[in-house]
Amino acid sequence: MFQKKEIILSYDYELFFGDRSGTVLRSLIEPTNLLLDAMDSVSFKGNFFVDWQMLKYLKEANTERTLADHQLIIDQLKDMVYRGHRIELHIHPHWVDAKYNGDGTWDFSEFRHYSLNSFSEKEIVDMFVEGTNLLTNIAREVDSEYKIVAFRAGGWAVQPFDKLKKGFQKAGIKIDSSPCKGFCAKHTNFFYDFRVMSDSSIYHFSNDVCKEDPAGEFLEIPITPLKRPFVVKVIERLYQLLTNNCEYLTDGTHHRSNDNDPCDESYKMDNDLKMLSLYLSPYSIPIVINMYKDRDLLCFIQHPKDQTGMTNKSIKALNSLCASITYKDLLEL
C-alpha cells in the first residue's frame, strides 16, 4: 500500500536583509497569505519561524507606518494559529543595529551582530525568553494552551551551541531546526559548519547540534540537503525559460552591494548542494521525493519573501506524494 512521505514545511518569516528590505505588506503579508491559502487547499500545515525582533523594532520605531505594519503581522500570526499552522521562534539579532528608512523599509547595512554568539550568554537568554513570551502571548489570543517548541537560528548560525543552550532551557524550546548537512560558511561576523553531522532526519542532541546523543534533552530536525540530479537541473531550466512562474512577487532583495566580507576559502562548499525548498517546479517534485525513499522525514525550508508563482504549484504537486506534519507533532509521538 502506498504511504505518503512525511514532510515538514518550514518558513523563515522575515524581511530581506539586502540593499532593499522590502515592505511588510509586499514581502511578508501578501506572499504569506498566498502560502496559507495554498496549504489550506491541500490540508497541509506550515511551521513559520517568526523573526520576533522585527516586531520589537517595528513597535519601537513608533511611527504611523511601523505601528500599522506591526499590527498587520500580529493579525497574520493569529490567523496562522487559527488556521492550524504553527508559529515558532526565529532570531536575527542584527535588528539591534537596523535603522528605519521612514518609508516602510529598513537599513540592514550593519552586520556586526548577525550572529547570536556576538552577544553575552545573558543577552542571548533574554532574547530567547522575550521572543518566546511575545509569540506565545500572540498565539494564546487564539489558542489558550499554545506553546512555542522549536527554534531556527538566523543565518543558520547556531554554533557553538553551548552559548545558546541556556536560552533553549529558559524559554522551554525543545527542538532545533537550523543545520543542513554539507553546508558551511565563515565570514567576519558569523559562521556555521555542518559538513560533519549525523545523517539522521531526526535525532536527540545535548551540546552540539551536529552530534547525536540518545539521552539528549533536545531534538534536532535538520533541513534536508538536496543534490540535484542532471535531469532535475534540465527540468528546472526549461521551466524557467518556458513559464513566467519563477519571478519573485515581492519587493526586496537579497543582494548587498556593500558586501565586502567574502567567505573564508577553507569553508567553500559544493555549489550543486541546495537546501530542500519549494523553489522546485511541480514537474521536478516527484523525482526529488523519490530520491528520499529511504529517509523517514523531509524538512523543507522556504521564505515567504521568496514567493514566486511556482511555489504554490509545487505545494499542490506535493499533495499526492506527501503528508505534512508540524514540529509539535514530533514531540507528541
Side-chain angles (χ1 to χ4, degrees):
M1 180 179 177
F2 172 73
Q3 185 172 359
K4 290 187 173 183
K5 176 71 68 178
E6 286 192 334
I7 62 172
I8 283 184
L9 296 175
S10 72
Y11 304 93
D12 290 4
Y13 186 86
E14 63 193 33
L15 292 175
F16 287 92
F17 300 126
D19 291 341
R20 296 193 313 276
S21 70
T23 58
V24 166
L25 181 63
R26 290 283 309 282
S27 288
L28 266 185
I29 303 301
E30 291 179 352
T32 300
N33 280 336
L34 292 173
L35 286 170
L36 292 171
D37 289 344
M39 287 190 291
D40 287 354
S41 73
V42 294
S43 299
F44 278 175
K45 300 304 180 188
N47 303 261
F48 291 84
F49 286 102
V50 179
D51 184 6
W52 79 268
Q53 288 195 323
M54 171 174 56
L55 282 164
K56 176 179 179 177
Y57 287 98
L58 280 168
K59 189 172 183 179
E60 287 190 3
N62 197 31
T63 71
E64 183 177 355
R65 177 71 177 268
T66 59
L67 293 176
D69 285 345
H70 180 268
Q71 191 60 50
L72 282 173
I73 293 173
I74 288 178
D75 289 345
Q76 185 165 71
L77 297 182
K78 290 193 289 187
D79 183 48
M80 290 176 188
V81 176
Y82 177 77
R83 293 161 78 161
H85 304 283
R86 293 285 304 176
I87 62 173
E88 304 292 359
L89 184 66
H90 193 39
I91 303 179
H92 269 290
H94 65 300
W95 269 96
V96 70
D97 298 314
K99 298 179 180 64
Y100 183 55
N101 292 326
D103 60 356
T105 67
W106 291 78
D107 177 354
F108 290 110
S109 57
E110 177 56 71
F111 278 77
R112 283 176 304 156
H113 294 106
Y114 192 73
S115 170
L116 275 168
N117 280 289
S118 64
F119 295 87
S120 69
E121 184 178 65
K122 180 184 183 305
E123 290 171 319
I124 293 170
V125 169
D126 288 345
M127 288 184 206
F128 270 84
V129 172
E130 185 180 351
T132 300
N133 288 342
L134 175 65
L135 297 179
T136 299
N137 289 337
I138 292 170
R140 285 188 176 175
E141 291 189 42
V142 179
D143 177 355
S144 62
E145 302 297 321
Y146 198 95
K147 291 183 179 180
I148 304 296
V149 300
F151 169 78
R152 176 171 291 153
W156 308 292
V158 72
Q159 297 160 311
F161 181 73
D162 56 0
K163 206 169 174 184
L164 277 59
K165 185 174 183 177
K166 188 174 288 187
F168 271 63
Q169 292 168 330
K170 293 288 187 181
I173 300 295
K174 302 298 183 184
I175 297 174
D176 177 67
S177 191
S178 302
C180 181
K181 185 169 185 178
F183 278 73
C184 62
K186 185 176 183 181
H187 297 266
T188 301
N189 297 312
F190 76 101
F191 91 101
Y192 54 86
D193 189 351
F194 309 132
R195 287 174 291 186
V196 179
M197 65 176 285
S198 171
D199 286 316
S200 301
S201 58
I202 175 171
Y203 57 89
H204 286 273
F205 75 96
S206 293
N207 300 307
D208 184 340
V209 296
C210 293
K211 292 183 180 179
E212 287 193 49
D213 178 357
E217 63 182 297
F218 308 113
L219 201 59
E220 182 60 60
I221 314 296
I223 301 160
T224 304
L226 170 64
K227 185 84 175 274
R228 294 179 301 164
F230 178 74
V231 64
V232 168
K233 293 180 183 178
V234 171
I235 291 171
E236 295 303 295
R237 183 57 180 156
L238 289 173
Y239 194 81
Q240 291 172 9
L241 292 172
L242 299 175
T243 77
N244 61 356
N245 289 325
C246 299
E247 296 178 2
Y248 289 116
L249 304 177
T250 52
D251 63 349
T253 179
H254 293 286
H255 175 72
R256 297 203 304 272
S257 56
N258 64 344
D259 187 2
N260 298 312
D261 186 18
C263 184
D264 185 317
E265 287 292 329
S266 66
Y267 281 70
K268 290 293 185 181
M269 51 174 279
D270 186 344
N271 288 330
D272 285 335
L273 190 64
K274 307 293 181 185
M275 294 183 181
L276 183 61
S277 77
L278 294 172
Y279 201 71
L280 287 167
S281 78
Y283 302 103
S284 294
I285 291 290
I287 299 171
V288 169
I289 296 301
N290 188 58
M291 290 168 56
Y292 298 104
K293 56 181 178 290
D294 296 325
R295 194 175 179 96
D296 295 331
L297 176 68
L298 303 181
C299 182
F300 285 73
I301 182 173
Q302 193 74 16
H303 298 71
K305 64 188 180 186
D306 289 334
Q307 176 82 349
T308 69
M310 179 171 64
T311 310
N312 290 356
K313 295 179 186 296
S314 297
I315 288 174
K316 293 181 179 182
L318 283 169
N319 180 46
S320 62
L321 302 168
C322 303
S324 75
I325 62 172
T326 68
Y327 291 102
K328 183 173 180 289
D329 292 333
L330 294 170
L331 290 179
E332 296 172 349
L333 293 177

